[in-house]
Amino acid sequence: SRSSGFSQFAPRRRVRDMPPKRKRRGSAGGDAVALPRTPGLRSDLECTVCGKPATMSCGGCAGFYYCDRAHQEMHWSDLDHHESCERTKKQVARTQELREDIFSAFDWGRLSTEMIDENVHTRCTLLEKLGVHNANEYRRECPCHAKTPFGKLPPVADTRCPPGEDPAVSWSRGLDEANWQVYKLMTWLRQRDPNSIDDCVRELRKHLPENWNVMMSCRLKALVEQQDGPFKIPEFAPKYPTPITLHSAATIDYAVRRFRRRSSDASPECVIVDVLGAEKEVDQLKQTIIALHWLHYIDLLVAGRPRGVHPDKPQLHLNLIGPEVPFDAYDDSTRIYPVTMQMYNGLYHEVKRTIWDHSHAYARRNFRHSPHRLVFMPNAGIAAFTSWEPTLKMLVNEFGAVVIITDYTEEAANMGLTELKKMVLREKAAARWNFLEVQVNPYRQPVSCKGADNAMPSYANGFIFGMIPSDFTYRDGDEKRDEVQVVDCSSA
């Protein structure tokens, strides 16, 4: 052959000096690796393609499982794993890194991450061990009720709700209980020694790292540990694993602190957060409201609260919107003070006008400035669900709101950011938006959600990305964040 005729004159090259071969689209990347069958450890692994028991994993990234070689090759070629294999390998390599800060923050951190990943514990057995299985705000945190329609459970965590009771009645009673808990917190804040949390404030002014360890040992410490007498809020007692249900509140607080718009004077600003696709967030509303009230109070002290602003002054308003929200609730009787809340049943692009009318009326009653609006889309899966497209199109064209999106895995977040950039490009709005590149959420839920068909690290609210208006001006003293980048959308 032609090659054999010249091979004897060619210099010999070592294998490691050879450039990597370009993998063809139709061939699987690397040999499949047979899975070890250790009794009790991940015997439930499933094929990524068909869901049958898995016998091998991808030899390139070890991130996906297959029942046979044919399905591995199908995933590689037909389902485009050849494009993401290298990225998946890097993501799987971060598994231990993402566990470490949870280990350091919680005594039960190893149970909720490593042991769930290894099938030693399930979510149900974890919650049983922590004493909160099917209890109140925790009841949708395991498969027992995660997908139960809201009509089949009371719309709030109220075990005293009689069967068949009108949801609005039980919701009203639940709000009364939430209002009572917030009242206790406000009373305690008014009566406390002003110096009792000065140490916390001084520490936070040092710009401590953002993670659960700082959140629990500093930012939330007084709420969890230092209440006394009749003002104790039981749900925040140290014996309860409150971070399991507080990750949405902590993420909202984190986003509000990082993306604060500069106002023209020292008067208080109104921040309105639209929570899109709310599901279990409705069930956990009481804890979310109490935590946000406390965190917002601490943030005012850390930032130097403007003179004359009382800690009771409403400055943060939540709108919970989605088809799973049980019913509309936006009259005065459903407001929890001082962090206020309204609920809307429906899709954001369908009810947006009603929401904005109510929100601006609320802001005009309480503030001299128009509200700063932040859109929060928890665990959205915008690359997987085409139902988000009308809402994303509206957000891209409605210039002004900061949009923060979270997803379970880094790969899902990367795919979502790509779809977001494509949407901006299609709508010819590239000059109007900067993008928040994918990053780990320091306040992700500290319980692993890793699936049985892949090895990628997965957490509720695990990874953050989004888009920021190009004319956004940060509050005085805040520096523009490095991860907010001007991105050439044509590369999406």
Side-chain angles (χ1 to χ4, degrees):
S1 67
R2 181 177 180 183
S3 61
S4 61
F6 292 91
S7 60
Q8 58 181 318
F9 303 108
R12 300 184 66 85
R13 300 176 68 183
R14 294 172 297 177
V15 172
R16 65 173 175 268
D17 295 332
M18 296 289 286
K21 292 183 179 180
R22 184 178 181 86
K23 295 173 182 175
R24 292 184 293 114
R25 179 180 174 84
S27 61
D31 295 330
V33 178
L35 294 175
R37 285 302 183 193
T38 305
L41 295 182
R42 300 307 285 167
S43 59
D44 64 330
L45 295 178
E46 300 173 355
C47 175
T48 300
V49 176
C50 67
K52 293 180 180 179
T55 60
M56 60 185 67
S57 64
C58 175
C61 64
F64 291 95
Y65 308 123
Y66 311 100
C67 61
D68 56 31
R69 177 75 177 184
H71 278 182
Q72 185 200 16
E73 292 181 350
M74 181 186 298
H75 188 229
W76 180 263
S77 57
D78 298 340
L79 301 179
D80 295 335
H81 181 50
H82 66 283
E83 296 179 356
S84 62
C85 187
E86 201 60 38
R87 289 199 309 271
T88 303
K89 182 178 180 180
K90 295 176 182 178
Q91 293 163 15
V92 171
R94 299 187 69 182
T95 298
Q96 193 61 27
E97 172 195 340
L98 295 177
R99 291 172 178 170
E100 288 297 335
D101 59 339
I102 297 175
F103 291 171
S104 63
F106 310 111
D107 295 339
W108 40 269
R110 195 171 295 276
L111 301 180
S112 66
T113 55
E114 187 175 70
M115 291 191 178
I116 284 185
D117 289 346
E118 295 177 353
N119 205 28
V120 175
H121 274 295
T122 64
R123 279 190 162 240
C124 289
T125 59
L126 169 68
L127 295 175
E128 285 174 356
K129 193 171 184 66
L130 297 176
V132 293
H133 186 234
N134 282 336
N136 298 331
E137 291 85 358
Y138 301 90
R139 62 187 178 172
R140 293 189 191 273
E141 293 297 342
C142 70
C144 296
H145 292 301
K147 297 298 182 182
T148 304
F150 276 90
K152 301 296 183 182
L153 287 174
V156 291
D158 188 351
T159 56
R160 299 166 297 172
C161 178
E165 184 180 59
D166 181 357
V169 175
S170 56
W171 177 259
S172 177
R173 184 171 60 249
L175 285 173
D176 289 342
E177 174 63 20
N179 276 316
W180 168 239
Q181 299 286 24
V182 172
Y183 171 77
K184 291 197 298 183
L185 177 60
M186 291 165 56
T187 305
W188 180 66
L189 289 175
R190 291 191 193 101
Q191 297 182 0
R192 54 170 275 276
D193 177 2
N195 297 320
S196 64
I197 60 172
D198 278 358
D199 289 342
C200 161
V201 172
R202 279 195 294 270
E203 286 297 307
L204 290 173
R205 283 177 177 164
K206 298 177 182 177
H207 301 291
L208 297 176
E210 297 278 4
N211 56 46
W212 273 117
N213 196 16
V214 171
M215 175 65 74
M216 299 306 295
S217 64
C218 191
R219 195 175 289 276
L220 282 175
K221 183 176 181 180
L223 176 63
V224 174
E225 297 179 358
Q226 296 180 9
Q227 301 172 58
D228 44 32
F231 306 122
K232 190 77 173 179
I233 298 176
E235 291 84 356
F236 288 84
K239 65 178 180 179
Y240 291 121
T242 51
I244 292 178
T245 59
L246 289 185
H247 57 101
S248 290
T251 302
I252 290 171
D253 174 71
Y254 176 60
V256 169
R257 285 187 286 110
R258 291 184 76 82
F259 299 103
R260 298 177 293 185
R261 189 181 292 275
R262 184 170 56 200
S263 58
S264 58
D265 53 38
S267 60
E269 65 177 354
C270 172
V271 180
I272 295 177
V273 182
D274 294 336
V275 182
L276 310 193
E279 293 179 347
K280 65 183 179 183
E281 289 83 5
V282 178
D283 232 20
Q284 298 164 355
L285 188 58
K286 181 170 70 173
Q287 279 191 322
T288 298
I289 292 291
I290 295 171
L292 281 175
H293 173 50
W294 173 260
L295 291 171
H296 199 58
Y297 175 70
I298 291 292
D299 293 338
L300 288 174
L301 295 178
V302 172
R305 178 159 48 90
R307 184 174 299 176
V309 178
H310 195 274
D312 299 351
K313 180 70 174 176
Q315 293 190 348
L316 187 63
H317 178 75
L318 296 184
N319 291 317
L320 272 64
I321 308 115
E324 292 294 325
V325 174
F327 49 82
D328 290 337
Y330 46 78
D331 60 353
D332 291 339
S333 65
T334 63
R335 293 193 172 187
I336 303 177
Y337 204 78
V339 176
T340 57
M341 179 278 307
Q342 295 175 333
M343 295 197 306
Y344 300 85
N345 175 265
L347 301 175
Y348 191 53
H349 60 277
E350 296 173 349
V351 298
K352 174 250 183 185
R353 180 51 55 195
T354 301
I355 295 170
W356 283 43
D357 287 347
H358 288 163
S359 299
H360 282 274
Y362 158 80
R364 283 194 300 271
R365 287 197 302 268
N366 294 282
F367 301 92
R368 68 179 69 173
H369 300 296
S370 60
H372 165 40
R373 185 175 295 275
L374 186 146
V375 175
F376 176 53
M377 301 167 62
N379 305 311
I382 63 174
F385 299 105
T386 57
S387 56
W388 281 114
E389 186 170 342
T391 291
L392 291 175
K393 185 175 180 179
M394 184 198 73
L395 289 171
V396 166
N397 289 302
E398 293 284 350
F399 188 39
V402 174
V403 180
I404 301 297
I405 308 172
T406 67
D407 221 318
Y408 286 93
T409 67
E410 187 173 357
E411 183 63 17
N414 282 321
M415 293 170 63
L417 182 60
T418 299
E419 289 300 314
L420 199 60
K421 292 176 181 178
K422 288 179 178 178
M423 174 67 73
V424 170
L425 185 63
R426 286 196 299 269
E427 296 300 313
K428 297 180 174 57
R432 298 163 59 184
W433 293 101
N434 296 335
F435 292 93
L436 175 64
E437 294 298 305
V438 175
Q439 60 180 282
V440 176
N441 178 11
Y443 302 113
R444 61 196 177 277
Q445 187 184 43
V447 181
S448 176
C449 298
K450 186 180 291 186
D453 63 349
N454 69 80
M456 289 187 289
S458 178
Y459 297 88
N461 287 327
F463 297 85
I464 292 180
F465 62 101
M467 57 185 186
I468 317 297
S470 56
D471 68 343
F472 186 85
T473 52
Y474 289 83
R475 181 180 294 181
D476 292 336
D478 290 343
E479 296 180 357
K480 188 169 184 178
R481 311 299 177 183
D482 292 339
E483 64 272 12
V484 181
Q485 301 175 359
V486 179
V487 178
D488 181 4
C489 292
S490 61
S491 64

